[in-house]
Amino acid sequence: MLDSLRNAASTWIAKLLLGLLVVSFAVWGISGQVLNDQSRNVLSAGDSSVSMLDFRLAYDRQINALSQQLGTRVTREQAVAFGLDDQVLQQLAAGALLDEEARRLGLGLSGDKLAQLTADDPAFRGPDGRFDRQQFDFVLRQIGMRPEDYLKNREQVAIRQQIVEAATDGMSVPDELFKNLALYRGEDRTVEYLAVPRALVEPVAQPDDATLQAWFDERKDAYAAPEYRKFSYVKLEPSDIADPEGISDAQVQKAYEDLRDRYTTPEKRTIDQIVFSDRAAAEAALKDLLDGKNFADVATAAGKSSSDIALGTLARGDVADDAVADAAFSLEANQFSDVIDGAFGPVIVYVSDIQPEVVQPLGEVESEIRQDLALEEAARVLLDVHDSYEDARAGGASMAEAAERLKLSMRTIEAIDASARRPDGTIVGDLPVSAELLREVFESETGIENAPLSMGGNGFVFYEVEGITPERDRSLDEVRDQVTQDWLKAETDRLLAERASAFAKRLEEGASLDEIATEIGQEKQVKRGLKRNANDADLGQAGVAAVFSVPRNGTGVFANPAGDGQFLFRVTEVFEPASATAESIPDNQRATMRSALADDLLDQMVARLQGKYPVTVNRAAMQEALSF
């Protein structure tokens, strides 16, 4: 998620326009009157500034955009932890610097152009697709923005765009750069490599107490006990209140009759048919059948194979041709029909087998029907039970008492962390709406009657936190076994890395991989045609990167992607693509490079402007803007 947050606004064009909020709208639910105090600006650059309202709206808009990108709602706590507030601050600072430069240059926008830009904004279009003044007023009222503030911000966007376009329009990337990129991407290599297994340094001696204690003290945070919470919950779904015993025999009988088709396997027949090109041929074939010829022989004489004539074993409703169905289901087994007019021409039908209709008796399905009816009844009264539970709690009943009154089960989880693990490391895997429930449990306080969680419209979960065990540092004795295992693994990795590095140094000094392979009892491997962007199954992405980080005859070491040792390698051949030209780079990648070059130029421009117009930040106003 952190990478997504960092990459979401990766171009300066996006960054410079993000600060103003007129590109798209949402109902933010904050007060413009509270945050639009011009005396409490979040930042300023020269005479240009960013108000608390502008900061808050840009911040919320960024959270919404990231939430859509990640497919999950990004909370404000997560955003702060990932540094989103500083990201937005930097973006708005860049915009303020451009505003100040535009002011010093005397850039502006005509009233006609501003009116056209406002009319073109899709947020203000009415049902006919044209600008609608009522829609304009409604949208701005929803976000707490005055029309004059919108027009001012819209004008700022357009003026910033003038500077951006003046700096970047017409910029081109030299063909030589594209050609070098094609050479870089198209290069392939031959590499010889050798496995350096962990067995070379194993077994590692057990650490003494002093060594283990020192190692643990340096990594104490990694072994800390997380916060645990004790909570109880009551789940209310139809299955929790269904009462099959309350369903009468008459209800079961009626449901059985209404749903008879569900418990009936229809009659099926194995059907063959011969389709003829004309009726005369069909009549001649029928005569042969009446004279005693076998149906299959008649089909062969008509030029049909067994697969041509077989329809299959079908119920009446599965036969596409009604005429064929009527004929087939009027015959006895091993009988053929007269010539009938089928959908594809004259046809004779033959039935070789009949599987009669089978109806499951009521006794076999009674319990299933009773359970289904009970669930239907429970779903009908679910909201009544929900209200009865809430009334019981409002009347002073505890969760346990309310649950007992309604014959619901209350379950208590004695200790669980935010990742659903118990103190012994096992996972509590059967919680209803687990992710949402845990999130709410860890945001609640003890003794609070929380609003129930919805189970997708099919039920509710009532929950209450009963105790909180704060996170704490563990002592070495509590986690000695785990710490010992971790130390042994780390020590093995260290010793193996030292051994592999020593082998690499010998390669650099003139030894061959064959010599080292013989010495450690391993077989040298050779991989040809390795590409820079390959995710090779043997070497892994990190291994490929290591191979392409050295020149021809270069050597190195990288971790075996299988996790059981190191690889020692030497690059023996490097091949450049003979056909690499500027045109080898696809158009979309050429456009990406042009955009990146423009971003670099804008980065430099903003850095220069920051030296020209120092930016001051009011952190207190920023925090106040985020508190609403």
Side-chain angles (χ1 to χ4, degrees), residues 290-538:
L290 292 171
D291 289 342
K293 281 193 176 181
N294 182 279
F295 191 84
D297 293 338
V298 172
T300 301
K304 308 292 184 181
S305 68
S306 59
S307 60
D308 292 333
I309 67 173
L311 277 186
T313 301
L314 306 171
R316 185 186 189 97
D318 296 331
V319 181
D321 190 330
D322 288 341
V324 171
D326 291 342
F329 279 81
S330 65
L331 297 172
E332 299 294 333
N334 299 313
Q335 283 189 348
F336 54 84
S337 70
D338 289 334
V339 177
I340 59 176
D341 293 323
F344 300 101
V347 61
I348 298 175
V349 175
Y350 177 74
V351 173
S352 60
D353 184 55
I354 298 175
Q355 298 177 9
E357 177 184 88
V358 177
V359 180
Q360 287 182 274
L362 176 59
E364 291 183 5
V365 295
E366 180 180 358
S367 61
E368 175 187 330
I369 294 174
R370 196 177 295 277
Q371 181 65 29
D372 289 345
L373 291 176
L375 286 172
E376 289 177 12
E377 175 66 14
R380 189 181 66 78
V381 302
L382 186 74
L383 291 179
D384 293 336
V385 178
H386 167 278
D387 292 345
S388 297
Y389 177 92
E390 294 282 24
D391 290 345
R393 293 304 307 269
S398 66
M399 174 178 281
E401 291 168 343
E404 185 178 5
R405 255 181 232 181
L406 297 169
K407 299 182 180 179
L408 297 172
S409 298
M410 185 183 82
R411 181 186 179 192
T412 299
I413 306 298
E414 293 295 333
I416 191 171
D417 69 12
S419 64
R421 294 185 181 276
R422 301 182 181 89
D424 63 4
T426 58
I427 294 178
V428 182
D430 55 349
L431 293 175
V433 287
S434 177
E436 185 180 1
L437 178 58
L438 276 179
R439 182 172 63 249
E440 296 299 331
V441 163
F442 274 81
E443 289 181 0
S444 179
E445 297 296 333
T446 58
I448 293 177
E449 183 184 346
N450 302 286
L453 302 179
S454 173
M455 299 181 69
N458 194 41
F460 303 91
V461 178
F462 306 91
Y463 66 96
E464 189 171 305
V465 177
E466 298 180 12
I468 299 175
T469 303
E471 60 182 325
R472 64 177 180 84
D473 286 339
R474 289 188 174 107
S475 67
L476 175 58
D477 287 339
E478 290 180 86
V479 289
R480 181 176 293 274
D481 289 345
Q482 183 62 51
V483 173
T484 301
Q485 291 178 22
D486 293 345
W487 183 91
L488 289 171
K489 183 181 182 304
E491 185 66 5
T492 301
D493 291 342
R494 184 187 69 81
L495 294 173
L496 188 63
E498 288 181 356
R499 190 74 178 272
S501 296
F503 289 145
K505 184 175 181 181
R506 286 173 55 187
L507 284 181
E508 293 174 2
E509 294 172 349
S512 70
L513 271 175
D514 295 296
E515 294 173 8
I516 297 174
T518 301
E519 179 181 327
I520 64 176
Q522 295 292 314
E523 182 178 352
K524 181 182 76 175
Q525 306 291 327
V526 178
K527 191 171 288 288
R528 304 182 188 279
L530 188 65
K531 294 289 189 182
R532 188 182 298 272
N533 61 350
N535 184 11
D536 187 79
D538 298 318

Side-chain angles (χ1 to χ4, degrees), residues 569-617:
F569 72 91
R570 183 196 298 277
V571 175
T572 58
E573 295 176 316
V574 176
F575 299 98
E576 291 185 347
S579 60
T581 63
E583 289 70 29
S584 302
I585 303 298
D587 289 342
N588 64 326
Q589 295 181 19
R590 295 164 71 90
T592 299
M593 288 193 65
R594 283 192 291 269
S595 177
L597 194 61
D599 290 345
D600 288 344
L601 181 61
L602 289 171
D603 275 333
Q604 295 177 42
M605 175 191 293
V606 170
R608 183 186 65 81
L609 291 177
Q610 192 161 5
K612 187 176 179 181
Y613 312 120
V615 175
T616 58
V617 177

